[in-house]
Every structure is written in structure tokens, then in C-alpha cells.
Amino acid sequence: MDAAAPLLFFDSGVGGLSVLGPTKALLPNAPIVYVADSAAFPYGTRSEAEIAARVPALLGRLTERFRPRLAVIACNTASTIALPFVRAALDIPVVGTVPAIKPAAERSRTRVIGVLGTEATVRQPYVDDLAARFAADCTVLRHGSAELVALAEAKLAGEPIDPAAVTAAVSPLTGHGMDVVVLACTHFPLLAEELAVAFPGVAQVDGGPGIARRIAHLTAGQQWPVQPSPGTAVFTGGGPNAQLARALQRYNLDDIRHV
Ligand code: DGL
């Protein structure tokens, strides 16, 4: 394995940064290519057919171009719909992001948990299956919000976020005794403070730290550069404004490209 071979992170937008952050904490010298499919953002309001066709084809092209050692689909929507197709299309390990229903059910005392994702994610049979396997004795509330995705993008682009807009976007989940909410969209941990105001006393669970551990496990024993190198952020459509470019720099994503 070439020490310079990167980890490739893939999302529709900036949500994958919530997976990249914990991964960099475990693997600080890992070369990173972060891809935002901004040309097709947002995924959460698209059909299953669109996502299942687009994501494997795009990841195939990106893998040829950047030669990663491993790809991370840092997007619940893409993972719950297209993960098997991506694995079939690529000859490298592919790590997906699926709603953290199991740890949420383990933690809940009220036995009411929420799954907050995109509209596309919360309707997936994959979520039914996780709920049946790991939270059979819980009431599993589901809510999909495209607005929350847009608010997370706006926050990283430096726009002021109205906490009342976040509270309104998640209001269908309040008032049912939920004590744990699964952030089943990688954009949502970027709004953790605002969600803490919207859901006082409710624990937030997301898959980022678990995915980071999985990546570290799958690459254990591999060579890495001796020091961190600048990472690359790739946009398939509209690129970042100055504020978002600064936010990307906080993740060492200094080299911004368009494909
Ligand atoms: N970040 C993505 C997810 O985890 C999707 C957001 C979107 O494009 O709608 O589901």
C-alpha cells in the first residue's frame, strides 16, 4: 500500500465533515480527498432510482482519478440506498454510514427514540430492519427534514442560523417522550448546539465516531505519511464561498478542486 494513497470521503455536501472530524482524530496523517457532490445536492429529496444510479457511477470515476485505499460514503441517504451497488462497483473497501439505531436503543430509558434524517433515509426499508433488529421494544419516531440539511450548509457557509428555524424543523419529534435522537444525516451533527436547544435533555447519537473506528480498524498496519499533508476538497458543482473555504481549512482541506 502506497503511504500517499488517500481516504476518500463522499457526501452530497459538507455533512461528511462530521465523519471526517473523528477520523482525523484517530488517523491524523491520513491523506484525505473529500468529495461534495454539490451538482446533485441535496440527495434527501431525490428518488431511490436517481441515487442508486448516480452514486456508484460517480464513485467509480472518483476512484479511478484519486486511487484511494478506502472510500467512505459519509452520507446516510447514499449509504442506505446505494451501498451494495457501490461495493459491487469498486475494488477497494467501502465504509457506509447507517443510522445509529442500535446504540440509541441501548441508551434509551424511556424506550422512545427518534430517527432524524433526510426524507429519503427515513423511508428506507434499511431503517425498518435496524428498528426491528435493535429497537423492537422501542417506539421509533421518524422525521425527515430537508430544511435542516440546508441550515447545516448555511451554517458552514457563515450565514446566521435562527435557532427557532431549527426548533421548528424538528418539532414533529418533540412531545412524545423521546430521550435519544439518532442524527441519521451526516449534516446534523454540524447543528449539535442548535439541536440541543431544540431537544433539551435529549441525547444525540451519530455514527461518526463509530465509522472512524471502523476506518482505523480496516487500515490497521498500513503505511501513512510521516506527517499530515494538505487535504483536497472536490466539488462536482458549485464550490465554496470564502467562509466555507475557511471551514474546510479547519479540516486541513486546503486544496479545492472542481470535477
Ligand atoms: N448528508 C446526507 C445524509 O447523511 C444527505 C443530505 C442531503 O443531501 O439531503 O443523508
Side-chain angles (χ1 to χ4, degrees):
M1 175 65 66
D2 176 2
L7 300 174
L8 188 148
F9 285 75
F10 179 84
D11 183 37
S12 58
V14 296
L17 296 175
S18 72
V19 182
L20 176 58
T23 306
K24 285 180 70 66
L26 291 185
L27 300 169
N29 293 357
I32 302 296
V33 174
Y34 181 94
V35 180
D37 187 10
S38 50
F41 174 87
Y43 278 2
T45 51
R46 292 186 179 276
S47 70
E48 281 75 356
E50 282 175 287
I51 304 237
R54 180 173 180 89
V55 172
L58 182 54
L59 273 164
R61 291 200 295 280
L62 291 163
T63 299
E64 273 178 23
R65 174 144 177 191
F66 293 103
R67 302 273 166 210
R69 68 181 76 197
L70 179 148
V72 185
I73 307 183
C75 172
N76 288 261
T77 310
S79 297
T80 54
I81 295 171
L83 185 57
F85 310 120
V86 175
R87 287 201 166 124
L90 305 189
D91 58 3
I92 54 170
V94 180
V95 177
T97 311
V98 295
I101 290 176
K102 183 170 184 247
E106 285 165 0
R107 201 159 159 180
S108 174
R109 289 170 182 269
T110 62
R111 311 313 286 155
V112 181
I113 66 175
V115 177
L116 180 60
T118 64
E119 288 138 297
T121 294
V122 299
R123 68 172 180 252
Q124 290 313 307
Y126 200 108
V127 176
D128 301 332
D129 182 53
L130 290 174
R133 280 167 63 203
F134 301 117
D137 68 332
C138 292
T139 301
V140 181
L141 309 169
R142 302 179 191 201
H143 178 56
S145 174
E147 196 186 349
L148 217 51
V149 175
L151 287 167
E153 291 277 331
K155 181 178 178 181
L156 263 73
E159 292 169 33
I161 299 298
D162 179 3
V166 174
T167 300
V170 300
S171 63
L173 290 179
T174 55
H176 303 284
M178 170 182 86
D179 65 345
V180 184
V181 62
V182 180
L183 304 186
C185 169
T186 53
H187 278 75
F188 298 166
L190 304 173
L191 293 170
E193 295 94 15
E194 291 83 355
L195 288 168
V197 174
F199 294 134
V202 173
Q204 301 175 24
V205 176
D206 75 272
I211 297 163
R213 287 193 296 275
R214 180 80 187 135
I215 297 165
H217 173 76
L218 288 171
T219 57
Q222 294 182 6
Q223 299 292 313
W224 299 105
V226 290
Q227 55 190 21
S229 46
T232 299
V234 178
F235 289 79
T236 60
N241 66 7
Q243 189 79 21
L244 180 54
R246 276 197 290 281
L248 295 173
Q249 277 170 0
R250 292 200 289 275
Y251 295 82
N252 283 353
L253 299 171
D254 296 316
D255 169 25
I256 293 172
R257 301 191 202 175
H258 297 267
V259 292

